[in-house]
Amino acid sequence: MNEANQPNLKNPVTLEATLPQNVFTITKLYSTFSYFYSPRYAFRGESHEAWEFIYVQSGEVVIETDEYTQVLSKGQAFMHKPWEFHRIKANNTTCHTLFISFSVNNDEELLKIAGIPLQPNNTQKQYIYDIINNGIVLFAGKNSVPPRKEGENEEYATNQTVKNLIELLLIGCIRNLENKAQKNSSSTQAEQAIVSYTIDFLNENLTKKLSLKDIANNLGYSVSHISSIFKKSMNISLINYYIKLRIMRAHELIAEGKMSMKEISEYLDFDSVQYFSTQFKKISGITPTQYAAVIKMKNWHFDPFKY
């Protein structure tokens, strides 16, 4: 470069670089699934070259391999090693399970979290939801993933987003296991505690129509404070999360088959059956009546859910 093309530097500073280092890297992406299982559902089993990450969103499942049987409850996760034959079945209850499959360049690191129950924190749960949402489009039409719906397109850098999120999820799970997931400050710890208390409170009050003011008052915080902390941590508004929990409870009640749609709507304190049906379809992708028809089939499983 000649002198005429030299940039006009003002007060130049020499910076010391730190080069990125990868303990492991995702090398292949295969599929993501979000499945609802009937209480009697049982999968015959399979083995494949991919690692498989399983997260139980609701209900309880039984995982079986040739070496062990493991019961997973709501909020727990699990990792299957490549080529490990495995089966899964609902543990006599309606279940919602999420699956992510991939390969890495260093299997040794993931062996630390393989074959044992894992407990993702709120941040890692959000990674799982984001992976599933992006994967719906990324893997469409491959490995039994349904084709894309009309107007459904990949967002910018979807492939890289899924790769990076899976790596962050796995790193977080390893850190959890090794007790290295320390909070950066006491304020962060307090915020995580508020989110956990809030989620517990919402789950205890699914049959009530709570407002933001009701939730905040019961937990002893202002509406703005608790709303801000919850949205920051969970990447979803507090009210939308609460509605989603109530709809998930509706899934379980419909599967039990003891109540009519009107009774379920009233039990969960929705304003009307019509509003209940609208919210159900918005979250689940199908109406309550369609959902009821599906679960009458023996050993059903389907994948309508998007976070």
Side-chain angles (χ1 to χ4, degrees):
M1 181 181 296
N2 57 44
E3 292 185 6
N5 293 326
Q6 288 284 354
N8 183 20
L9 302 178
K10 295 181 179 180
N11 193 26
V13 178
T14 301
L15 301 177
E16 181 181 359
T18 299
L19 299 179
Q21 295 181 352
N22 295 322
V23 178
F24 60 84
T25 301
I26 301 298
T27 57
K28 295 180 182 178
L29 302 169
Y30 295 99
S31 61
T32 59
F33 291 100
S34 170
Y35 279 149
F36 289 96
Y37 293 154
S38 69
R40 300 186 304 278
Y41 178 76
F43 179 58
R44 66 183 182 280
E46 64 182 8
S47 62
H48 42 64
E49 65 177 307
W51 282 87
E52 183 169 279
F53 182 95
I54 303 170
Y55 175 69
V56 182
Q57 175 70 7
S58 66
E60 192 172 79
V61 300
V62 179
I63 291 175
E64 299 175 334
T65 72
D66 292 336
E67 299 177 356
Y68 56 81
T69 298
Q70 179 69 54
V71 177
L72 294 184
S73 300
K74 175 182 177 180
Q76 290 188 308
F78 197 82
M79 286 271 289
H80 284 301
K81 297 178 290 187
W83 298 118
E84 176 180 66
F85 179 76
H86 54 279
R87 295 181 292 268
I88 188 170
K89 63 181 180 181
N91 197 21
N92 298 313
T93 184
T94 304
C95 306
H96 182 196
T97 50
L98 311 179
F99 298 84
I100 304 166
S101 58
F102 54 88
S103 291
V104 299
N105 66 341
N106 185 356
D107 289 336
E108 189 72 23
E109 289 299 314
L110 298 195
L111 291 176
K112 298 175 182 178
I113 53 175
I116 56 175
L118 305 171
Q119 197 78 41
N121 61 29
N122 289 332
T123 299
Q124 290 143 20
K125 289 175 185 177
Q126 192 59 52
Y127 290 154
I128 296 171
Y129 303 150
D130 289 343
I131 292 166
I132 296 295
N133 281 344
N134 281 275
I136 288 173
V137 178
L138 178 62
F139 303 114
K142 298 179 181 178
N143 300 328
S144 301
V145 179
R148 292 182 189 177
K149 299 177 182 178
E150 185 176 351
E152 204 170 39
N153 297 308
E154 284 188 33
E155 294 187 60
Y156 176 75
T158 298
N159 190 299
Q160 185 174 351
T161 297
V162 172
K163 169 187 175 295
N164 291 346
L165 286 172
I166 294 175
E167 290 175 353
L168 287 171
L169 169 63
L170 299 175
I171 289 169
C173 289
I174 293 172
R175 285 184 174 183
N176 291 349
L177 195 65
E178 296 179 349
N179 295 318
K180 292 181 180 179
Q182 300 298 323
K183 306 301 180 183
N184 293 328
S185 65
S186 59
S187 62
T188 302
Q189 289 179 331
E191 289 180 0
Q192 290 295 325
I194 290 173
V195 171
S196 295
Y197 295 150
T198 302
I199 291 175
D200 288 343
F201 177 74
L202 296 181
N203 277 301
E204 291 168 1
N205 291 275
L206 297 181
T207 59
K208 300 176 182 178
K209 185 178 63 177
L210 298 175
S211 66
L212 276 174
K213 187 176 181 180
D214 294 330
I215 297 170
N217 287 345
N218 274 278
L219 294 170
Y221 302 101
S222 69
V223 170
S224 59
H225 183 63
I226 196 170
S227 297
S228 175
I229 288 174
F230 196 91
K231 181 65 180 292
K232 176 184 174 183
S233 177
M234 301 297 290
N235 200 33
I236 184 175
S237 74
L238 180 51
I239 285 298
N240 284 340
Y241 185 86
Y242 177 51
I243 293 173
K244 189 167 291 187
L245 287 180
R246 294 165 74 201
I247 294 300
M248 294 308 300
R249 178 61 180 136
H251 286 148
E252 297 172 354
L253 293 172
I254 293 173
E256 290 173 5
K258 298 178 181 179
M259 301 170 70
S260 68
M261 297 304 171
K262 185 175 185 296
E263 290 171 333
I264 292 173
S265 175
E266 292 174 348
Y267 177 72
L268 296 174
D269 206 12
F270 282 93
D271 291 335
S272 66
V273 176
Q274 291 76 18
Y275 179 68
F276 164 63
S277 182
T278 298
Q279 292 300 316
F280 192 102
K281 185 173 182 179
K282 180 180 178 181
I283 290 172
S284 304
I286 59 176
T287 67
T289 302
Q290 290 170 330
Y291 179 83
V294 169
I295 63 176
K296 287 181 180 178
M297 296 183 291
K298 184 179 180 181
N299 291 344
W300 53 264
H301 71 285
F302 67 106
D303 180 14
F305 202 81
K306 185 173 182 179
Y307 293 88

